[in-house]
Amino acid sequence: MSRTSGLPSEGGGAWWVKAIIILVSLPVLAWPTLLSRCSADSVARTFVWLYPAYVIAAAVCAWICRRRRPEITWIIVFLMILTHAAMWVLVDMPL
């Protein structure tokens, strides 16, 4: 614990949590494929464009929450997994 603020120190952290967050974020690398499979006039294209920003923001939030609120980290990780699946379903089954 830090002497000045009473909060846990920021150093370190479990390496496996970092590995899981990175692993769960990797499907965003398929973004160009998703974009190419999406029709140009589709509403889904807007969601596909926002998808990488969401994954990056969610990964950062999961990393920030890991020490003080680990349950929030796991909720965010689960939501990222669901989002990856939803994006593929959205592109494969257009609106």
Side-chain angles (χ1 to χ4, degrees), residues 4-61:
T4 58
S5 66
L7 299 174
S9 63
E10 287 299 317
W15 63 269
W16 56 272
V17 175
K18 183 186 257 185
I20 288 173
I21 292 171
I22 291 171
L23 256 157
V24 169
S25 300
L26 284 179
V28 80
L29 296 176
W31 178 71
T33 305
L34 282 171
L35 198 57
S36 68
R37 292 176 70 177
C38 198
S39 62
D41 59 343
S42 173
V43 174
R45 194 167 183 89
T46 304
F47 290 114
V48 173
W49 272 103
L50 295 173
Y51 173 57
Y54 163 75
V55 172
I56 291 168
V60 169
C61 288

